[in-house]
Amino acid sequence: MRVVAGYRRRWLPKDLVAGLVLSSLLVPQGMAYAELAGLPPITGLYTTVFGLIGYALFGSSRILVVGPDSSLGPMIAAVLITVVGTGADVATTMGLASMLALMVGVIMAVAGVARLGFVADLLSKPTQIGYMNGLAVTIFVSQLPKLCGFSVDGDGLLNEAAGFLRGLASGDAVPAACAVGLVTLAIIVVLQRWLPKVPAVLIAVVAAIAATWVADLGSRGVVLVGPLPAGFPPLSLPHASWSQLVPLLAGAVGITVVSLADTISTASSFAARTGQEIRPDQEMIGVGAANVAASFFQGFPVSTSGSRTAVAEQSGARTQVTGIVGAAVILAMLLLTPGLLRDLPQPALGAVVIAASMSLADVRGTVRLWRRRRLEFLVSITAFLGVALLGVLPGIGVAVGMSVLNVFRRVWWPYQTELRRAPGVPGYHDVRSYPVADRLPGLMLFRFDAPLIFANARVFRDQIRGLARAEPRPRWIVLAAEPVTDVDTTAADMLTVLLAELDADGIVLVWAELKDPVRRKIDRYGLTEAIGPAHFFATLDEAVSAYRAQTGAEWVSSPGPADVPPRPEAAERPTAKGRFPRGG
């Protein structure tokens, strides 16, 4: 057991204190995120307890906190609505949520055993920012009716926003509910902003309960949480019909991808701050175990929480004993004081969720993308619109698709440039960075920044053809091949035809700095004889020296070609006459 192995007695006081502080955040957030997922608040507490215990037994991080998460809540709700609609009874919905948690746990654990942590890379940083921004807006809007004491019938961001505005216009808002919801939200936001070490959520929840007692909010139309079921969480087997398994599995895969990306990034971040090392594959197993454990006690899918982990860290947590203490506190509350939260107003839970949604949004990151790289900004906005307009589940598909397409675009239209010798700077450099540089008449140094594969074989061919038609005609085209990390069979066939064309025009395609594994592939394709064994050089200097020795050419000073465009962000198709695609 990882919690016990190597545990030091001096850590216990700090873990106990951190666990007590953490439990003050776990209870209201667990209940709020359960309602966000369309489930009874009590299931959030059950999920929290067994999520913490499952991760403590199998996770690799010392202080990472696992439990219900605001980013997963809308996804869980979307899956459940897809499977059973909005009119299903509570028992059926809870059973399906537990089955969803079991599926997520099994997928995550199997991925960890199979060392598939790289799947998290399917969500690039820009797509993560866009997805989370879309999720933040979706959660924010979905909780506004609860904050104001009424509900709306609507599916999706636009419908819910329209329903909320119609409700306000028709006078559905409950003044007392609006007051307690807005005050609760203000307390959380102000304390988190100005006193980050103070348990803002706990103070806000206690204040809301106190307001219920003082102002008799229940008689003023404010919906309260009511009494929670007493006793130990009941053991129950997850269940679903065969027809429900396919949509549940599709949703489980989407939830797993989001949870996986969040888990690895959060665990790595906190490990770096505390000087620890985490094992991504073991993290997946740990979060998988947390989901499986929760699934047998009426729980729903869980993930890591950056905010709760930060609270544990600030409170002095040393090990996962902190999480176990938090779980024990919740169990004690369920067994001994189940009525403790019955007077908690529902608008206060809505305020807790809205505060969490505000922490999901990364406006600064979006602005940085706009300033640094417009194309990735557009990728982020596309992911945002996918979540906001299409829904959470289609949105994750859009986000993953945008990440994959962005990678494919970089391989399809890679950065390409001519190299020349810049005065006073060793080596050979991009003519865009050094427009005034020395060249050798008849020699073209060309760099292609990508593996040479089926996706870009035609782009490479057209670019070399364009260089070969440039005036004055080159005698050698030297490929600075260090970035060419692969040559597949499609590219090999293209090279066979291209080399014949160049040979007919009296132009030699020379390779410099080619990696040994790629050179061996070229040998297997039978291209070495077509290129010429003498036309492979270990360095660009050797290739240039060989050309000068053969032709007697001398360096001449020359400005960069007039048709080389400036270096903007977007990549474009290559054109003829030596013009290179834009990109970077």
Side-chain angles (χ1 to χ4, degrees), residues 1-262:
M1 183 174 171
R2 297 179 180 275
V3 179
V4 176
Y7 193 83
R8 300 177 184 177
R9 184 177 299 177
R10 68 174 183 272
W11 291 343
L12 185 58
K14 292 185 176 181
D15 281 339
L16 289 174
V17 172
L20 292 172
V21 173
L22 181 62
S23 63
S24 68
L25 186 64
L26 294 174
V27 173
Q29 283 194 344
M31 296 172 65
Y33 297 161
E35 292 208 330
L36 182 60
L39 298 164
I42 188 64
T43 61
L45 300 184
Y46 296 162
T47 302
T48 300
V49 168
F50 292 98
L52 289 170
I53 295 174
Y55 181 82
L57 295 177
F58 293 95
S60 67
S61 172
R62 289 184 179 179
I63 63 171
L64 201 67
V65 177
V66 171
D69 187 64
S70 58
S71 64
L72 297 188
M75 297 184 71
I76 297 168
V79 174
L80 297 179
I81 290 174
T82 300
V83 177
V84 294
T86 57
D89 62 89
V90 174
T92 299
T93 304
M94 290 170 59
L96 293 175
S98 296
M99 177 58 75
L100 188 62
L102 180 61
M103 287 180 168
V104 171
V106 171
I107 294 172
M108 189 81 80
V110 169
V113 173
R115 301 182 181 276
L116 299 179
F118 66 87
V119 174
D121 297 335
L122 291 176
L123 281 177
S124 66
K125 186 64 175 179
T127 52
Q128 285 186 54
I129 291 175
Y131 175 78
M132 288 300 178
N133 286 342
L135 205 59
V137 173
T138 300
I139 294 172
F140 184 91
V141 172
S142 71
Q143 295 300 301
L144 287 177
K146 180 186 291 186
L147 194 74
C148 295
F150 66 97
S151 61
V152 300
D153 292 327
D155 183 19
L157 175 66
L158 298 181
N159 290 333
E160 288 181 339
F164 173 69
L165 294 177
R166 284 194 300 268
L168 289 181
S170 61
D172 292 340
V174 178
C178 292
V180 72
L182 291 174
V183 170
T184 302
L185 179 60
I187 292 174
I188 295 173
V189 171
V190 170
L191 291 180
Q192 287 180 341
R193 175 66 177 85
W194 299 106
L195 298 171
K197 293 187 178 181
V198 172
V201 174
L202 175 63
I203 292 175
V205 167
V206 170
I209 295 174
T212 300
W213 297 337
V214 172
D216 193 15
L217 295 179
S219 65
R220 297 175 181 269
V222 178
V223 180
L224 306 178
V225 169
L228 299 177
F232 195 84
L235 176 65
S236 59
L237 297 179
H239 57 276
S241 67
W242 287 106
S243 62
Q244 294 169 336
L245 291 179
V246 173
L248 283 175
L249 181 60
V253 171
I255 291 172
T256 300
V257 172
V258 173
S259 178
L260 180 57
D262 189 34

Side-chain angles (χ1 to χ4, degrees), residues 78 386-387 390-399:
V387 176
L390 301 179
V392 177
L393 288 181
I396 185 62
V398 170

Side-chain angles (χ1 to χ4, degrees), residues 50 299 344 348 400:
F50 292 98
L344 175 61
V400 172

Side-chain angles (χ1 to χ4, degrees), residues 484 513-524 538:
V484 180
E513 301 180 342
L514 187 66
K515 293 178 171 60
D516 289 342
V518 185
R519 174 65 187 275
R520 287 192 289 269
K521 290 181 180 179
I522 287 178
D523 290 341
R524 289 199 301 271

Side-chain angles (χ1 to χ4, degrees), residues 30 87 129-130 177 230 289 473 497 527 539:
I129 291 175
R473 291 293 180 94
V497 176
L527 285 172
T539 65

Side-chain angles (χ1 to χ4, degrees), residues 428 440 443 445 476 478-479 510-513 535-549:
Y428 306 93
L440 287 172
L443 178 69
L445 299 177
W476 277 23
V478 178
L479 177 63
V510 175
W511 299 64
E513 301 180 342
H535 294 151
F536 291 92
F537 295 92
T539 65
L540 283 172
D541 278 332
E542 290 183 9
V544 170
S545 297
Y547 177 78
R548 294 185 65 190

